[in-house]
Amino acid sequence: MTDISFAWSALGGDPGLVQRITTVEREGTLTARLPVRDLARACVGACALAAAELAARRAALAEVPAVRVDDGALATAFVSERHLLIDGRAPVTFAPLSRFWRTADGWVRTHANYPHHRARLLTALGLPSGEERDGSGNGGRDGDQDDALVASVASVLAERSALDVEEAVYAAGGLAVALRTPEEWAAHPQHAELAARPLVERGRLGAARARVLPSRTGTPLLPAAGVRVLDLTRVIAGPVATRTLALLGADVLRVDPPHLPELADQHADTGFGKRSAALDLAADRAAFEELLAGADVVVTGYRPGALDRFGLSPEALAERRPGLVVAELSAWGAYGPWARRRGFDSLVQVATGIAAVEGGDGQPGALPAQALDHGSGYLLAAAVLRALTEQSRDGGGRFVRLALARTAAWLTETAPGAARGPERVQDAPYDSPAPWLDETGSRIGRLRHARSPLAFTDGPTTWTRPPGPWGTDAPHWT
């Protein structure tokens, strides 16, 4: 069931603590055929409870602070990228070639927001890439060129089968996924691999004691204060997790390769509370090792195995930095035939049957939010917080692991209206997202943005640091 009790149990939490949660229900939020609102409540509620638990531990409180989960806050935060305004300008969330396409026998969805993914998609389809047109990596696009290119791609795809497109594009290093029904995905070997694993994989990484975190008193309660988080994630889910840890007081340093800049609007949405540095892991190895030596947590969001050549597997990291918490997030999981495939929330929805369930009249559909990304992000942050709590009791390094496709399985295998956990419930109206939006000045402009949905007694209410320009901070701990 997609309730807070199940999520909290998957994190290894004390079942009795769920009674510290009050849920404020607001009809008309995150409406879908699948229980998206329940998923959001479970992920955010479990994360807030994990934060409150660690806060109580560090502040020596007699009782874990009370947690409040508000549907209005959830609905706003789970579409934070849509609420963002930068000096009044709304960001572009999907590029023209990131969409559904009809094929000869069904549907396929592509993802081409990044220039290199766009170029690989076009190459796989036998069409000129943006680099071939102007050498800039963005194709020199304007509206007319986009329309013409969309028409060309549509024409090519209409003559090919969906599975043929999926395989050809992935072979070229791009991203395309054929639409599957839930039954078709249930018969897929990747689903079998996912079903055999828990929602949150957790384990130990050696017996070395972690750095002892000092006691924290005062208001607001910042359970992650003093925790150094090395953020090696991209896009939404991983950055949501580290954005949440930053809210809770962690010193979060995001590190990206200089040749793969993050999309500016995406960085503006998920960069709150963090610093951002560009670092070549191969050329600047000494700088990275210095960062690792001072880190308490490393969060990765690349394909399983993609960072292993840099010595960044959980085991290799823990060997060089004993007592570390390593948190891993991927699209399809770290096992099975699709383990090393790239993926994004929109594509996972298509493969796992979600788009088929949410569609109608022969058209595929989508969830009202990129709920797999956001939900997995909050669960990953919760897993890190729980690992830190466990470390404070018995030491030892820890690893935690989530996959968007495993979160999707949790969502699709739960019927709407499933039994709830023991948390208390209140009813309230919902008129607009306005109460859960803020405005903040920053070096990249005036930002209208969603507030964090995490709420517990005496906890933080907003980030102390707005996002700055991508890659402009020094790769050093503060």
Side-chain angles (χ1 to χ4, degrees), residues 28-40 74-83 94 345 349 354 358 365-372 374 411:
T29 55
L30 295 176
T31 302
R33 292 174 181 168
L34 291 168
V36 177
R37 184 171 55 180
D38 292 343
L39 176 85
L74 300 180
T76 306
F78 266 55
V79 291
S80 61
E81 64 276 9
R82 300 182 203 168
H83 288 300
F94 282 103
D345 180 305
Q349 289 189 40
I354 291 173
E358 294 293 335
L367 299 176
Q370 295 193 69
L372 307 179
H374 286 272
L411 174 65

Side-chain angles (χ1 to χ4, degrees), residues 56-238:
R57 176 81 177 167
R58 294 190 65 185
L61 302 178
E63 188 174 50
V64 170
V67 170
R68 179 183 175 91
V69 179
D70 192 310
D71 283 351
L74 300 180
T76 306
F78 266 55
V79 291
S80 61
E81 64 276 9
R82 300 182 203 168
H83 288 300
L84 179 70
L85 293 178
I86 306 171
D87 288 333
R89 176 187 62 82
V92 176
T93 54
F94 282 103
L97 299 188
S98 297
R99 48 167 285 184
F100 283 107
W101 310 85
R102 277 194 180 275
T103 62
D105 60 353
W107 293 87
V108 70
R109 179 146 191 168
T110 56
H111 195 288
N113 284 6
Y114 289 97
H116 58 294
H117 291 157
R118 178 178 178 276
R120 292 168 187 173
L121 169 66
L122 294 174
T123 297
L125 300 180
L127 296 170
S129 70
E131 287 82 355
E132 292 173 2
R133 285 204 301 277
D134 75 351
S136 68
N138 63 17
R141 291 178 288 158
D142 59 27
D144 291 339
Q145 287 180 316
D146 284 341
D147 291 344
L149 189 56
V150 167
S152 297
V153 172
S155 177
V156 171
L157 294 181
E159 301 297 322
R160 300 174 65 169
S161 75
L163 289 177
D164 172 58
V165 172
E166 178 181 277
E167 291 304 317
V169 174
Y170 264 103
L175 296 108
V177 172
L179 178 70
R180 290 172 172 82
T181 65
E183 294 75 22
E184 288 170 333
W185 180 245
H188 197 283
Q190 190 64 29
H191 175 268
E193 291 284 352
L194 291 163
R197 265 78 176 186
L199 176 63
V200 181
E201 295 184 72
R202 306 160 48 246
R204 296 186 71 106
L205 283 173
R209 293 201 63 82
R211 181 167 67 93
V212 176
L213 298 175
S215 299
R216 294 286 303 184
T217 59
T219 303
L221 293 171
L222 295 173
V227 175
R228 289 174 170 172
V229 177
L230 191 53
D231 179 0
L232 305 179
T233 69
R234 293 177 72 80
V235 196
I236 295 178

